[in-house]
PDB file of all heavy atoms in Angstrom:
ATOM      1  N   GLY A  27       9.439  10.746  18.071  1.00 86.00           N
ATOM      2  CA  GLY A  27       9.522   9.803  19.141  1.00 86.00           C
ATOM      3  C   GLY A  27       9.306   8.367  18.655  1.00 86.00           C
ATOM      4  O   GLY A  27       8.809   8.129  17.537  1.00 86.00           O
ATOM      5  N   ARG A  28       9.831   7.432  19.447  1.00 86.00           N
ATOM      6  CA  ARG A  28       9.752   6.005  19.097  1.00 86.00           C
ATOM      7  C   ARG A  28       9.148   5.242  20.247  1.00 86.00           C
ATOM      8  O   ARG A  28       9.372   5.543  21.413  1.00 86.00           O
ATOM      9  CB  ARG A  28      11.123   5.455  18.757  1.00 86.00           C
ATOM     10  CG  ARG A  28      11.701   5.986  17.456  1.00 86.00           C
ATOM     11  CD  ARG A  28      10.863   5.446  16.249  1.00 86.00           C
ATOM     12  NE  ARG A  28      11.597   5.748  14.970  1.00 86.00           N
ATOM     13  CZ  ARG A  28      11.361   6.848  14.272  1.00 86.00           C
ATOM     14  NH1 ARG A  28      10.559   7.813  14.749  1.00 86.00           N
ATOM     15  NH2 ARG A  28      11.985   7.024  13.138  1.00 86.00           N
ATOM     16  N   GLY A  29       8.459   4.109  19.870  1.00 84.00           N
ATOM     17  CA  GLY A  29       7.963   3.223  20.881  1.00 84.00           C
ATOM     18  C   GLY A  29       9.095   2.296  21.399  1.00 84.00           C
ATOM     19  O   GLY A  29      10.246   2.461  21.031  1.00 84.00           O
ATOM     20  N   GLY A  30       8.646   1.311  22.143  1.00 80.00           N
ATOM     21  CA  GLY A  30       9.668   0.432  22.733  1.00 80.00           C
ATOM     22  C   GLY A  30      10.399  -0.398  21.734  1.00 80.00           C
ATOM     23  O   GLY A  30      11.603  -0.614  21.831  1.00 80.00           O
ATOM     24  N   ASP A  31       9.791  -0.834  20.672  1.00 81.00           N
ATOM     25  CA  ASP A  31      10.465  -1.634  19.638  1.00 81.00           C
ATOM     26  C   ASP A  31      10.859  -0.754  18.429  1.00 81.00           C
ATOM     27  O   ASP A  31      11.064  -1.283  17.373  1.00 81.00           O
ATOM     28  CB  ASP A  31       9.508  -2.721  19.203  1.00 81.00           C
ATOM     29  CG  ASP A  31       8.113  -2.215  18.804  1.00 81.00           C
ATOM     30  OD1 ASP A  31       7.946  -0.971  18.928  1.00 81.00           O
ATOM     31  OD2 ASP A  31       7.283  -2.968  18.320  1.00 81.00           O
ATOM     32  N   GLY A  32      10.862   0.583  18.634  1.00 82.00           N
ATOM     33  CA  GLY A  32      11.329   1.466  17.590  1.00 82.00           C
ATOM     34  C   GLY A  32      10.237   1.957  16.648  1.00 82.00           C
ATOM     35  O   GLY A  32      10.518   2.458  15.556  1.00 82.00           O
ATOM     36  N   CYS A  33       8.984   1.674  17.045  1.00 87.00           N
ATOM     37  CA  CYS A  33       7.886   2.133  16.128  1.00 87.00           C
ATOM     38  C   CYS A  33       7.754   3.622  16.184  1.00 87.00           C
ATOM     39  O   CYS A  33       7.795   4.289  17.274  1.00 87.00           O
ATOM     40  CB  CYS A  33       6.576   1.520  16.652  1.00 87.00           C
ATOM     41  SG  CYS A  33       6.547  -0.261  16.614  1.00 87.00           S
ATOM     42  N   PRO A  34       7.609   4.254  15.016  1.00 90.00           N
ATOM     43  CA  PRO A  34       7.461   5.698  14.954  1.00 90.00           C
ATOM     44  C   PRO A  34       6.142   6.084  15.570  1.00 90.00           C
ATOM     45  O   PRO A  34       5.111   5.418  15.415  1.00 90.00           O
ATOM     46  CB  PRO A  34       7.422   6.030  13.423  1.00 90.00           C
ATOM     47  CG  PRO A  34       8.105   4.835  12.829  1.00 90.00           C
ATOM     48  CD  PRO A  34       7.738   3.678  13.651  1.00 90.00           C
ATOM     49  N   VAL A  35       6.159   7.265  16.190  1.00 90.00           N
ATOM     50  CA  VAL A  35       4.966   7.748  16.927  1.00 90.00           C
ATOM     51  C   VAL A  35       4.380   8.894  16.148  1.00 90.00           C
ATOM     52  O   VAL A  35       5.085   9.918  15.847  1.00 90.00           O
ATOM     53  CB  VAL A  35       5.307   8.186  18.337  1.00 90.00           C
ATOM     54  CG1 VAL A  35       4.056   8.755  18.991  1.00 90.00           C
ATOM     55  CG2 VAL A  35       5.817   7.003  19.154  1.00 90.00           C
ATOM     56  N   ILE A  36       3.089   8.823  15.753  1.00 90.00           N
ATOM     57  CA  ILE A  36       2.371   9.915  15.125  1.00 90.00           C
ATOM     58  C   ILE A  36       1.347  10.403  16.085  1.00 90.00           C
ATOM     59  O   ILE A  36       0.507   9.689  16.634  1.00 90.00           O
ATOM     60  CB  ILE A  36       1.659   9.441  13.807  1.00 90.00           C
ATOM     61  CG1 ILE A  36       2.706   9.006  12.823  1.00 90.00           C
ATOM     62  CG2 ILE A  36       0.828  10.595  13.229  1.00 90.00           C
ATOM     63  CD1 ILE A  36       2.077   8.488  11.496  1.00 90.00           C
ATOM     64  N   THR A  37       1.454  11.708  16.343  1.00 91.00           N
ATOM     65  CA  THR A  37       0.565  12.324  17.346  1.00 91.00           C
ATOM     66  C   THR A  37      -0.537  13.102  16.636  1.00 91.00           C
ATOM     67  O   THR A  37      -0.281  13.850  15.721  1.00 91.00           O
ATOM     68  CB  THR A  37       1.397  13.261  18.222  1.00 91.00           C
ATOM     69  OG1 THR A  37       2.472  12.501  18.809  1.00 91.00           O
ATOM     70  CG2 THR A  37       0.506  13.876  19.318  1.00 91.00           C
ATOM     71  N   PHE A  38      -1.806  12.847  17.167  1.00 90.00           N
ATOM     72  CA  PHE A  38      -2.948  13.654  16.709  1.00 90.00           C
ATOM     73  C   PHE A  38      -3.363  14.521  17.863  1.00 90.00           C
ATOM     74  O   PHE A  38      -4.043  14.107  18.775  1.00 90.00           O
ATOM     75  CB  PHE A  38      -4.116  12.748  16.365  1.00 90.00           C
ATOM     76  CG  PHE A  38      -3.894  11.977  15.046  1.00 90.00           C
ATOM     77  CD1 PHE A  38      -3.290  10.723  15.096  1.00 90.00           C
ATOM     78  CD2 PHE A  38      -4.303  12.481  13.841  1.00 90.00           C
ATOM     79  CE1 PHE A  38      -3.091  10.025  13.932  1.00 90.00           C
ATOM     80  CE2 PHE A  38      -4.098  11.709  12.657  1.00 90.00           C
ATOM     81  CZ  PHE A  38      -3.487  10.536  12.719  1.00 90.00           C
ATOM     82  N   PRO A  39      -2.824  15.728  17.930  1.00 89.00           N
ATOM     83  CA  PRO A  39      -3.166  16.591  19.063  1.00 89.00           C
ATOM     84  C   PRO A  39      -4.638  17.041  19.075  1.00 89.00           C
ATOM     85  O   PRO A  39      -5.367  16.789  18.128  1.00 89.00           O
ATOM     86  CB  PRO A  39      -2.242  17.809  18.860  1.00 89.00           C
ATOM     87  CG  PRO A  39      -2.047  17.851  17.423  1.00 89.00           C
ATOM     88  CD  PRO A  39      -2.056  16.456  16.925  1.00 89.00           C
ATOM     89  N   ASP A  40      -4.984  17.621  20.134  1.00 85.00           N
ATOM     90  CA  ASP A  40      -6.385  18.111  20.246  1.00 85.00           C
ATOM     91  C   ASP A  40      -6.612  19.149  19.214  1.00 85.00           C
ATOM     92  O   ASP A  40      -5.926  20.224  19.199  1.00 85.00           O
ATOM     93  CB  ASP A  40      -6.628  18.614  21.687  1.00 85.00           C
ATOM     94  CG  ASP A  40      -8.102  18.982  21.897  1.00 85.00           C
ATOM     95  OD1 ASP A  40      -8.902  18.472  21.076  1.00 85.00           O
ATOM     96  OD2 ASP A  40      -8.407  19.723  22.834  1.00 85.00           O
ATOM     97  N   TYR A  41      -7.540  18.936  18.287  1.00 84.00           N
ATOM     98  CA  TYR A  41      -7.779  19.900  17.198  1.00 84.00           C
ATOM     99  C   TYR A  41      -9.258  20.008  17.001  1.00 84.00           C
ATOM    100  O   TYR A  41      -9.978  19.105  16.560  1.00 84.00           O
ATOM    101  CB  TYR A  41      -7.134  19.304  15.852  1.00 84.00           C
ATOM    102  CG  TYR A  41      -7.143  20.283  14.767  1.00 84.00           C
ATOM    103  CD1 TYR A  41      -6.228  21.335  14.719  1.00 84.00           C
ATOM    104  CD2 TYR A  41      -8.089  20.245  13.701  1.00 84.00           C
ATOM    105  CE1 TYR A  41      -6.207  22.251  13.650  1.00 84.00           C
ATOM    106  CE2 TYR A  41      -8.142  21.206  12.673  1.00 84.00           C
ATOM    107  CZ  TYR A  41      -7.181  22.179  12.655  1.00 84.00           C
ATOM    108  OH  TYR A  41      -7.147  23.045  11.596  1.00 84.00           O
TER     109      TYR A  41
END
Side-chain angles (χ1 to χ4, degrees):
R28 291 291 190 271
D31 53 358
C33 297
V35 177
I36 296 178
T37 303
F38 289 88
D40 188 15
Y41 191 77

